[in-house]
Amino acid sequence: MAGRIDSKAFVAPQVEDSLAEAETAERANSSAAPHHHVGNDIRALRKSRGLTLNDLCEALGRSIGWLSQVERGQTNPSIPDLKAIAGHFGVPVSFFFRNADAPEAERGWIVRAHSRAVMGSPDDGLAEELLSPDLGGEFEMIRSVFAPGARREVMAARDTQDGGYVVSGELEMTIGSQTYVLRAGDSFQFDRQPYGWINRGDRPAEVIWIISPPTY
């Protein structure tokens, strides 16, 4: 992602509503095939945090065999399991139910505007939406909106390649030892570099951010 200050700060405030919707969806689809992207998402989240299967199983109190089946899409985790997994990774439960109402032919391929997984809120200074259908590929796409005055001090380099396109507004980015002012229409790319950002403008800055491999 664009550079979270604290992953726990990006849990959406409507988690209880998401749980209610998720529980309704589970009751309605209790005999359905596993949601194809959930296992991919859990595996990608686990690997992005540097966790082994055993590490996550110990945190969840579940067996390696169960988690392995979930990650391979052979079984669906229950709502309580998803709640525990979401809490562990600091994402809303609704993250795993995006595109749940999409036509079968679109799942894994298309993300409609109303189905994006929302991460955080403008109150945190950085609101993000996952544009990728899942996290199982080689990269992820994120829509990041930086509130006026929001900033992230330069953080240590991570093992990713990052690139982005500024849709609107203005964002000051520090990449390595250089600082750049990026405006609408500008783009950037860097490989395993320390970076930080600040929106010194009086309006939000919107950036489409691409990260490889996925880190959300």
Side-chain angles (χ1 to χ4, degrees):
M1 62 189 67
R4 58 183 173 223
I5 298 172
D6 179 353
S7 63
K8 299 297 182 184
F10 288 87
V11 178
Q14 300 85 5
V15 169
E16 291 303 320
D17 290 342
S18 299
L19 279 172
E21 293 173 4
E23 288 167 353
T24 299
E26 185 186 46
R27 286 194 296 270
N29 297 285
S30 58
S31 61
H35 303 291
H36 86 281
H37 67 79
V38 172
N40 285 338
D41 289 348
I42 293 172
R43 181 188 298 111
L45 287 167
R46 174 175 62 79
K47 289 186 174 181
S48 73
R49 306 302 197 272
L51 300 177
T52 64
L53 279 168
N54 189 60
D55 291 334
L56 184 54
C57 286
E58 287 187 353
L60 299 175
R62 299 288 272 170
S63 70
I64 290 179
W66 173 83
L67 182 56
S68 178
Q69 287 187 331
V70 169
E71 289 193 354
R72 285 180 289 153
Q74 295 179 342
T75 188
N76 277 328
S78 67
I79 294 302
D81 286 326
L82 282 179
K83 183 179 179 181
I85 292 169
H88 187 74
F89 291 118
V91 299
V93 175
S94 59
F95 176 86
F96 296 111
F97 287 87
R98 65 193 189 280
N99 287 333
D101 59 349
E104 184 65 32
E106 293 188 2
R107 295 178 189 175
W109 299 93
I110 306 297
V111 179
R112 299 296 179 181
H114 67 277
S115 297
R116 296 172 188 162
V118 178
M119 314 298 291
S121 74
D123 293 337
D124 301 316
L126 173 60
E128 296 187 296
E129 297 176 332
L130 183 64
L131 304 181
S132 300
D134 61 46
L135 301 180
E138 297 296 322
F139 64 92
E140 64 185 349
M141 298 183 295
I142 297 169
R143 175 179 178 264
S144 300
V145 179
F146 304 82
R151 67 185 303 151
R152 175 65 166 93
E153 299 297 336
V154 175
M155 62 180 186
R158 58 187 180 186
D159 193 23
T160 62
Q161 291 184 316
D162 292 64
Y165 172 80
V166 182
V167 177
S168 62
E170 182 176 298
L171 189 69
E172 180 180 300
M173 284 193 66
T174 297
I175 303 173
S177 60
Q178 298 293 318
T179 298
Y180 311 89
V181 176
L182 303 175
R183 300 180 177 86
D186 294 339
S187 55
F188 61 88
Q189 183 174 340
F190 57 90
D191 185 358
R192 297 167 177 82
Q193 293 288 321
Y195 75 98
W197 45 260
I198 181 171
N199 180 359
R200 298 187 186 277
D202 57 4
R203 64 191 183 103
E206 178 182 352
V207 178
I208 301 301
W209 204 290
I210 299 174
I211 306 171
S212 176
T215 64
Y216 237 125

